[in-house]
Amino acid sequence: MLDDPLFLGLDLSTQGLKAVLIDADGAPVHESSVNFDRDLPSYGTTNGAIRGPGAGEVTSPVRMWLDAYDLIMERMRSAGVDFSRILGISGDGQQHGSVYWSTEAERLLASLDSSRPLAEQLSPAAFSIQRAPIWQDSSTTRECRELEAAIGGAQALADLTGSRAYERFTANQIAKIRRTDPDSYRATARISLVSSFMPSLFLGSIAPIEVSDASGMNLMNVLTCEWDDRLLEAAGGPELRAKIGPEPAPGGTFLGKVHPYWVQRWGFNPECGVAPFTGDNPATVVALSTPGDAILSLGTSTTLLLSIPPAETAPKRFTTSHLLSHPTTPDAHIAMLCYKNGALAREQVRDQYADGHWTRFNELVEARPVGNEGYMGFYFPLPEIIPPNVQGNFFFSTSPSPSPSSPSSQSSITALPEASMPRPAHPRAILESQFLSIRSRITAILPPDAPPLQRLVLSGGSSRNPVIQQAAADVFGMRVFVAGAEGAAEGGAQLARYARWRARNGGVGSFEEMRAMDGEGEGEGGERRRCVAEPKWERERMYAGLVETYRACEDLVVQMCERAVA
């Protein structure tokens, strides 16, 4: 029995491949990464993707991902990683992206030759389509409307799958390929998500799709965690059930051991198990949160993730949020709010109104009072998801501004031209509008008997900004923590460790029980999760009084955009 095992987590994001190793206690001990643009420039990607040729189309070369696998293994070996100590592998992929395997794929995977790199053996023959549609693709609006119509509308689809139809979701990408490229669709033997493509390389056979990532496809019943025949038929015809593979696989299990290729080429332990890989957002939940936490990712997009424990009453489903199956806990779920205009909008405000510097941005935020003297600003450089399809900048004056003595006072609202919005008000306005949008929706998402949220864990690029940290604490009324930088890749490694822990425990035991044994379920999570901001309750009460005013302004923004389209 190996006394000092390691567990490998791989994160295949839009821009790169990252590897994190953790030890038997769950602590990260190594990190390596590959950046697609910089390290594999021959593929001509920008931020890991290729736009076009059609309007809204965004793809990534599958062969590039294979090359990244070889390159990251080289870097790990050069750093002195002992692959023979790795007893479990899992990870995550960018959600919604899809890979199309040819009829030759299973044979080629099974017969991998350890003297040759992956790409040389698998590309192009193992794939019926050489470039994978990814989450940034927005070319499937027609297919979205058709899928919703087939099920009875957007809300009916959300009730069934956890989400209305989204252009980036896999069902709609499959439907478009079937319509526009029928020859390639017929030549496709199996369809993987990015997350199930990844373990297939380690197993030497095509892996099943994992249950939590399957929630982002518009193909699975989010309550039973099984494929739905009506959705399969609508998206891909009668042949899609065979192409999509077996029912989604739960976490906490091993799919098999690594193929001899990895033992012979890199020195992996032949007993190393391969667990299902999940999506990047569920992996972030696994890495960063414990029950009672909310995670707010402040990256390119802004995303809120809430774990919902098992309950007798099924969680509510909405057309403006997502409900995912949980990657480790049967009958539990993850609620997700996703905003396309996150860091992009904040950076545009910084550049236009704060001289391009975060220091100046922070000074302007702190110089303005909570509530911004009644000014509200909405900033949508890209068509938004929440609220749907709004684009542009919108400004309002609300009067009177709520105060601690009268937090629910009614406000009159006046739309303003941008020139009438005080320039120093913009930095606070964008923070307040982005955070109030999330706060206004949290109560509806959580079950009525859910305990209050205890902590807000920040991740992403803006999570280190102290002014943004304090604004989050004040708006949400929670203590704010910042976690380590490993994120989703560490979550993948924890999933691998959980699969081994559970196997050694007779196939029983929850992920939370494992983490509690590490001390992760107690206190504040030690040095790896530190409190960076405490809510100032006078400010929180003012923000509570601003929620209804925010909602009224948001409704006006939606109406303005609808009139503009009409």
Side-chain angles (χ1 to χ4, degrees), residues 318-397:
F318 299 92
T319 58
T320 54
S321 61
H322 306 295
L323 187 72
L324 310 176
S325 296
H326 199 280
T328 65
T329 308
D331 300 321
H333 295 87
I334 298 169
M336 183 169 74
L337 295 172
C338 185
Y339 297 79
K340 194 180 294 186
N341 292 286
L344 175 63
R346 292 190 293 273
E347 289 166 3
Q348 286 194 2
V349 170
R350 175 202 63 191
D351 294 344
Q352 189 169 354
Y353 297 105
D355 306 322
H357 297 291
W358 284 117
T359 300
R360 180 60 178 157
F361 181 97
N362 290 348
E363 290 171 353
L364 291 171
V365 172
E366 294 188 301
R368 301 284 298 181
V370 169
N372 215 7
E373 296 180 338
Y375 289 103
M376 282 196 175
F378 294 73
Y379 307 82
F380 304 116
L382 299 173
E384 189 47 88
I385 301 170
I386 304 172
N389 302 317
V390 298
Q391 187 171 16
N393 295 341
F394 306 86
F395 306 99
F396 302 93
S397 174

Side-chain angles (χ1 to χ4, degrees), residues 213-285:
D213 210 15
S215 310
M217 299 177 74
N218 282 143
L219 288 176
M220 186 191 78
N221 183 317
V222 74
L223 299 183
T224 66
C225 298
E226 296 178 343
W227 303 123
D228 183 272
D229 285 327
R230 289 177 299 162
L231 296 168
L232 294 172
E233 177 73 30
E239 62 268 44
L240 183 53
R241 178 168 279 278
K243 294 179 190 292
I244 213 71
E247 298 293 348
T253 59
F254 279 129
L255 301 172
K257 292 184 170 57
V258 291
H259 188 275
Y261 173 88
W262 298 91
V263 178
Q264 297 161 14
R265 185 173 179 85
W266 301 106
F268 274 81
N269 192 312
E271 295 303 307
C272 176
V274 182
F277 285 37
T278 190
D280 51 359
N281 287 304
T284 299
V285 170

Side-chain angles (χ1 to χ4, degrees), residues 28 40 44 122 145 189 215 225 245 288 299 369 386 406 447 490 495 505 519 533:
L40 298 168
L122 296 177
R145 301 293 80 79
S215 310
C225 298
L288 299 185
I386 304 172
S406 181
E490 186 202 339
L495 289 172
N505 203 35

